[in-house]
Amino acid sequence: MKKERIYLFDTTLRDGQQTPGVDFSVEDKIAIAGLLDRFGVDYVEGGYPGANPTDTAFFAEKRTSRSAFVAFGMTKRAGVSASNDPGLAALVQSRSDAICFVAKSWDYHVRLALGSTNEENLESIRASVEAASAAGKEAMVDCEHFFDGYKTNPDYALACARAAYEAGSRWVVLCDTNGGTQPGEIRDIVRAVIATGIPGDHLGIHAHDDTGQAVANSLAAVEAGVRQVQGTLNGIGERCGNANLITLIPTLMLKPAYANRFETGISREGLKDISRLSHAFDELLNRAPNSQAPYVGASAFATKAGIHASAILKEPETYEHVPPEAVGNTRRVMVSDQGGKSNFIAELKRRGVKVDKADPRLDTLVALVKEREAIGYAYEGADASFELLARRTLGSVPEFFKVDSFRCMVERRFDAMGNLKTVSEAVVRVTVDGETLLSVAEGHGPVNALDIALRKDLGKYQSEIADLGLADYKVRILNGGTEAVTRVLIESHDSTGARWWTVGVSDNIIDASFQALMDSIVYKLVKNRERAGLAAE
């Protein structure tokens, strides 16, 4: 049986820009459009040319090679001809392949927001679609607030959709703009629209996530007949966000309920890039990826409990709904005080550390992890510190350097201009190959000063850590009071793209931070030698 085609429409560059704290530059938009184009979505909507300098500059050139490049904008204004509307002219003159018009389909909004009559709004829809088609561009219409409009005045909402379709719109997109419609309602209303004569292969769905159901609503619309799905990368968007394409695409492609009936423009091989796409986008936004994101999160295929880990080692399907490699992710059997030997063996094997289940050193490692986690360590979130602990217990880790002592000072004082400043200074004394080295550094806070001082001079190892950088720093207070035990987690990265977490625990936040910093450097040096050994082979 021939599968029906589902078309994927990405609105990250417009809807995503409405996310609090997100503001794309032209360069950002070019980079994101490139990611989407290479991944293979059908449509990349880039924003509203003419609305602001960024979008106008972005649409001065075509930014995609495979995907259709889409300009977004309002239908023409009531009382103005299509040929004399400046907003419509900017859309038609842009270097886009298609134009997506946003049109009011709730009579309440037509009256309140547009201040026009219902018939004037219908005429604006028809004239705008015809103008886009005459300019050689694929036309489509987002029927804004369609579901809310349908609930209050179904005849008018349907009239707006029909006006777009009959004027030649390739897609008529039904929008749940307020994000409050339920999946059952979406399904029933989409079927009602199709029953009026607008075929499903000309209908799209645009869902917002205000009840946490944007993905469910999009899938309900697909089940009811729509064949275009709109959404954003990682579900960003105004308020609670939009339908998450990073979740929708694997669901459509891997779940039999959809995969047996539909196909997208993305191949199974291409789907393996979806984790990389999601993480690359987060990196561009300078934010940490959501570890519990479906399919692509670091915890999406992670198992912590011992009985689950044992089952996964025998048969992965026991606790995995899809193979992690299908979406470019990896299986993780995490080590913690809840884990048994199976967790440890699986995690060590993944890291290239071989150990027999009967090896008494394995029992020592399990007991040591449980003992250390009881006082505050968290190894499921500190992969590098766990690996170092395991290597030291099961074998050995070279003593690259020895920290003899460190001192940290924080001074609050007035500078020569009379401005009050807080200055942090750290001194670290290390021994490398019998030579004692002393480093002093100032930093933005005591931890930063310690980090700079520790990495300032490690003798013959200095060049090896030149590309080491700190990506994240987290502090957790484990009990109350100013004397509380503190856990510090540090994320590091290097020029190879590798990222790793280390942990330190102490009743002194500086000491906990220093433990994590030292582990980060030692881990980097160990991995450098592993990579050098593989290269030599």
Side-chain angles (χ1 to χ4, degrees):
M1 185 179 70
K2 191 177 187 307
K3 295 182 180 181
E4 295 183 74
R5 180 76 148 81
I6 300 293
Y7 291 84
L8 304 171
F9 189 113
D10 183 273
T11 69
T12 300
L13 297 177
R14 177 181 60 84
D15 280 316
Q17 180 117 318
Q18 299 180 56
T19 308
V22 172
D23 187 20
F24 299 131
S25 65
V26 176
E27 291 72 22
D28 291 335
K29 288 200 163 196
I30 292 171
I32 295 166
L35 290 172
L36 293 164
D37 190 40
R38 289 188 292 275
F39 184 66
V41 299
D42 298 292
Y43 297 92
V44 174
E45 184 189 274
Y48 195 160
N52 57 68
T54 298
D55 284 356
T56 300
F58 183 59
F59 277 96
E61 296 179 33
K62 189 176 184 308
R63 303 297 183 180
T64 59
S65 57
R66 297 168 58 192
S67 309
F69 189 41
V70 186
F72 176 89
M74 295 285 293
T75 55
K76 79 167 190 69
R77 291 175 296 171
V80 177
S81 68
S83 58
N84 289 319
D85 188 285
L88 182 55
L91 293 170
V92 169
Q93 292 164 13
S94 70
R95 296 293 298 276
S96 67
D97 302 303
I99 298 173
C100 182
F101 294 104
V102 58
K104 304 294 184 184
S105 58
W106 185 0
D107 58 348
Y108 169 68
H109 275 260
V110 173
R111 182 177 68 255
L112 185 71
L114 297 182
S116 64
T117 67
N118 286 355
E119 184 51 47
E120 285 174 330
N121 183 53
L122 294 175
E123 172 54 28
S124 291
I125 294 172
R126 286 189 286 263
S128 299
V129 171
E130 289 167 357
S133 300
K137 297 184 185 291
E138 182 178 333
M140 59 192 85
V141 175
D142 274 8
C143 291
E144 190 181 34
H145 293 285
F146 181 83
F147 293 96
D148 288 323
Y150 184 91
K151 293 174 200 177
T152 60
N153 188 342
D155 291 340
Y156 187 69
L158 288 169
C160 293
R162 278 198 304 270
Y165 175 65
E166 291 167 0
S169 184
R170 170 64 184 91
W171 294 104
V172 179
V173 183
L174 312 180
C175 301
D176 185 29
T177 310
N178 285 346
T181 308
Q182 300 301 294
E185 294 176 300
I186 295 278
R187 192 177 291 108
D188 292 343
I189 293 172
V190 168
R191 287 173 178 162
V193 173
I194 294 173
T196 67
I198 304 176
D201 61 5
H202 278 65
L203 288 175
I205 181 68
H206 180 104
H208 284 253
D209 205 35
D210 296 75
T211 64
Q213 297 180 102
V215 168
N217 282 343
S218 300
L219 294 172
V222 168
E223 291 167 3
V226 308
R227 296 296 176 258
Q228 187 209 83
V229 177
Q230 296 193 359
T232 61
L233 292 176
N234 296 339
I236 71 168
E238 66 178 329
R239 303 189 313 273
C240 303
N242 287 53
N244 188 348
L245 287 182
I246 299 296
T247 301
L248 271 166
I249 293 170
T251 300
L252 290 169
M253 294 182 64
L254 298 177
K255 292 301 175 182
Y258 306 103
N260 292 344
R261 294 179 55 198
F262 308 115
E263 63 182 3
T264 69
I266 297 165
S267 67
R268 281 295 187 96
E269 190 64 27
L271 184 62
K272 294 178 181 179
D273 281 337
I274 198 163
S275 291
R276 181 196 59 80
L277 171 65
S278 172
H279 299 158
F281 180 61
D282 277 328
E283 186 69 31
L284 193 145
L285 293 181
N286 195 29
R287 69 179 191 179
N290 175 9
S291 63
Q292 292 190 300
Y295 296 106
V296 301
S299 298
F301 300 96
T303 302
K304 185 173 179 180
I307 189 170
H308 293 188
S310 181
I312 278 180
L313 291 175
K314 295 173 184 174
E315 195 62 54
E317 288 82 359
T318 52
Y319 286 97
E320 290 176 354
H321 66 108
V322 298
E325 57 271 15
V327 290
N329 208 338
T330 56
R331 181 177 300 116
R332 292 174 63 215
V333 181
M334 301 166 70
V335 293
S336 74
D337 58 0
Q338 296 183 34
K341 285 187 178 181
S342 296
N343 297 58
F344 286 80
I345 292 170
E347 183 64 13
L348 291 169
K349 182 180 178 181
R350 187 173 75 85
R351 296 179 170 279
V353 180
K354 294 181 180 179
V355 59
D356 189 88
K357 193 170 185 176
D359 191 327
R361 294 177 301 173
L362 180 60
D363 294 318
T364 301
L365 177 61
V366 173
L368 188 56
V369 167
K370 292 186 177 185
E371 177 186 316
R372 289 169 72 86
E373 291 213 342
I375 62 174
Y377 287 84
Y379 287 111
E380 71 267 23
D383 54 346
S385 285
F386 167 72
E387 183 172 336
L388 290 177
L389 179 65
R391 287 179 181 273
R392 287 174 177 134
T393 306
L394 301 173
S396 63
V397 173
E399 188 178 60
F400 299 105
F401 60 91
K402 179 184 177 184
V403 176
D404 300 312
S405 65
F406 73 83
R407 185 174 73 247
C408 197
M409 180 186 73
V410 178
E411 181 182 5
R412 196 167 186 241
R413 62 172 184 246
F414 290 95
D415 63 14
M417 303 298 293
N419 299 313
L420 187 62
K421 288 190 173 182
T422 301
V423 179
S424 297
E425 182 182 271
V427 180
V428 178
R429 185 189 299 272
V430 297
T431 299
V432 182
D433 281 349
E435 181 185 2
T436 299
L437 305 169
L438 190 69
S439 296
V440 182
E442 288 189 351
H444 299 288
V447 176
N448 180 239
L450 271 174
D451 178 37
I452 296 170
L454 180 59
R455 292 196 282 153
K456 196 171 185 179
D457 187 3
L458 283 181
K460 65 182 183 180
Y461 303 116
Q462 189 61 32
S463 61
E464 290 191 49
I465 62 170
D467 63 337
L468 172 64
L470 265 59
D472 201 359
Y473 173 85
K474 296 179 179 178
V475 177
R476 174 78 185 274
I477 303 302
L478 301 179
N479 51 22
T482 55
E483 76 288 357
V485 173
T486 303
R487 178 167 65 223
V488 170
L489 286 167
I490 289 177
E491 185 183 18
S492 306
H493 63 91
D494 64 17
S495 60
T496 68
R499 304 178 82 91
W500 61 93
W501 285 91
T502 52
V503 63
V505 173
S506 173
D507 57 5
N508 185 302
I509 188 173
I510 305 302
D511 183 46
S513 302
F514 197 74
Q515 291 176 36
L517 287 170
M518 283 197 296
D519 267 9
S520 177
I521 294 173
V522 172
Y523 181 80
K524 163 72 171 168
L525 294 172
V526 168
K527 288 302 172 183
N528 283 354
R529 273 142 194 78
E530 277 192 359
R531 282 192 288 268
L534 290 173
E537 292 174 8

